[in-house]
Amino acid sequence: MFTSVRHCANQLKGFYVMALRSNSTAVNNFETLAVSVPKPFVYHVEINRPNQFNTFNNALWKDLKQCFTELNTNSDCRVIVLSGSGKHFTAGIDLQDMLMLGQDLAEHDDVARKVRLLNRVIKNAQDSITSIEACVKPVICAIQNACIGAGIDLITATDIRYCSKDAWFQVKEVHIGMAADVGTLQRLPKIIGSMSLVRELCYSTRKFKSDEALSCGLVSKVFDDKDSLMKGSIELAEEIAQKSPVAVQTTKETIIYSMDHTNQEGLDYIRLQNQVLLQSEDFINACMAQATKGEKPVFAKL
């Protein structure tokens, strides 16, 4: 038995070497995103509109959905770090796009056609953000400086949130005469837990800084600056990427499922998953590595 396990481990090391070599493989090009592979199995997705403070325009909504949908099934990707280039993480909605939307609405006199247009625009934005939550790969969000409006929608769909000391946050939609409609009102209460604080932030639109974000649970770690933030985020991603992708992805799926189901439904869900997945080679290899105190197990692509 030990011989067969060692043989299997040697084969898996071969897969790992291939993964290392694929580190320089070209990735898809997006108009508003820069995608790179800083470590084996770790993808870095960077919002790349620094001159516009990474505001959300139509192209960014589209690129985010396409990118995370593709990474969801990319076996070379196990963990994703999401960040923003330039000074700010994101300043929220691109107001130029909002003006263009107003012009498109003005072309229709009939309310039914205006409603159909707005429904499509809102649904596209919702699906874009939900693609991050629906991606089975853990998403670590690295936030520096401003994170406003749609930025809150974005980060609440990620798994782990880190920020730099200069980060500040604002649920700004009420300030511009609308209710947030892309995920903040659905996800933020589940993250923070305090409905009083959630309502205060959403009704008043006040800014809150990194220390408050840490104390209320919106972020789990604060770094001195952006450089240390990115270093810490990629280090965590690399650590997670070395774990079994079967175990990590099933864990994410189960956590998300359990958030809006009863405890018993969550238990039933993971029982059905594990009656299959405990037969995976990942479980055997990880257990053998623990039992023999040998080298860290290396897991095949999933």
Side-chain angles (χ1 to χ4, degrees), residues 22 39 111 120 130 156 172 209 214 279:
S22 70
K39 298 289 181 179
V111 64
R120 184 170 64 249
T130 298
T156 54
K172 197 172 183 177
K209 297 182 179 180
L214 179 64
Q279 301 177 65

Side-chain angles (χ1 to χ4, degrees), residues 56-287:
F56 282 70
N57 63 354
N58 287 334
L60 180 53
W61 293 117
K62 179 180 176 182
D63 284 352
L64 279 170
K65 182 179 179 181
Q66 182 181 347
C67 180
F68 280 89
T69 300
E70 290 179 2
L71 291 179
N72 184 50
T73 56
N74 184 340
S75 61
D76 288 319
C77 172
R78 292 184 182 174
V79 188
I80 302 163
V81 175
L82 175 62
S83 70
S85 63
K87 181 178 181 180
H88 298 291
F89 178 72
T90 176
I93 290 288
D94 189 328
L95 294 180
Q96 287 299 118
D97 266 31
M98 295 298 286
L99 292 174
M100 291 174 61
L101 176 60
Q103 293 172 3
D104 291 339
L105 287 170
E107 294 178 4
H108 302 286
D109 294 325
D110 181 60
V111 64
R113 283 155 181 80
K114 291 183 178 183
V115 167
R116 182 63 62 88
L117 173 61
L118 282 171
N119 183 285
R120 184 170 64 249
V121 170
I122 296 169
K123 184 65 164 62
N124 286 340
Q126 290 176 342
D127 289 349
S128 175
I129 297 299
T130 298
S131 69
I132 299 171
E133 184 178 71
C135 178
V136 296
K137 317 301 170 64
V139 181
I140 301 166
C141 194
I143 306 149
Q144 87 283 1
N145 222 309
C147 179
I148 303 170
I152 305 293
D153 296 308
L154 179 69
I155 69 172
T156 54
T158 63
D159 295 276
I160 299 165
R161 290 164 295 278
Y162 285 173
C163 74
S164 55
K165 194 177 294 183
D166 63 2
W168 56 274
F169 306 82
Q170 186 177 21
V171 184
K172 197 172 183 177
E173 282 81 356
V174 164
H175 187 70
I176 60 172
M178 63 174 287
D181 56 5
V182 191
T184 291
L185 302 184
Q186 291 69 40
R187 296 186 176 100
L188 186 61
K190 297 174 183 176
I191 293 170
I192 291 180
S194 168
M195 286 303 298
S196 176
L197 179 57
V198 168
R199 295 179 192 211
E200 175 194 335
L201 296 173
C202 294
Y203 299 163
S204 71
T205 75
R206 74 168 175 84
K207 300 177 183 178
F208 58 105
K209 297 182 179 180
S210 58
D211 56 347
E212 186 175 0
L214 179 64
S215 66
C216 74
L218 180 60
V219 302
S220 53
K221 191 174 288 188
V222 177
F223 293 81
D224 287 336
D225 51 35
K226 186 178 180 181
D227 288 342
S228 59
L229 167 67
M230 293 310 304
K231 183 175 181 291
S233 299
I234 291 173
E235 284 177 352
L236 176 63
E238 184 179 20
E239 180 182 350
I240 296 172
Q242 293 173 5
K243 310 294 186 186
S244 158
V246 174
V248 171
Q249 292 173 30
T250 303
T251 298
K252 174 171 180 174
E253 289 174 325
T254 304
I255 289 173
I256 291 173
Y257 180 88
S258 298
M259 285 177 68
D260 55 8
H261 290 79
T262 66
N263 287 344
Q264 188 57 54
E265 288 170 334
L267 289 167
D268 293 341
Y269 179 86
I270 189 58
R271 185 177 71 253
L272 293 173
Q273 294 289 318
N274 270 1
Q275 69 184 7
V276 176
L277 300 178
L278 288 179
Q279 301 177 65
S280 165
E281 65 182 33
D282 287 23
F283 178 65
I284 298 170
N285 293 333
C287 285

Side-chain angles (χ1 to χ4, degrees), residues 3 13 17 25 29 54-55 100 125 189 198 210 232 235 238 283 302:
T3 302
K13 286 179 183 177
V17 170
T25 302
N29 292 319
N54 295 325
T55 49
M100 291 174 61
V198 168
S210 58
E235 284 177 352
E238 184 179 20
F283 178 65
L302 179 63

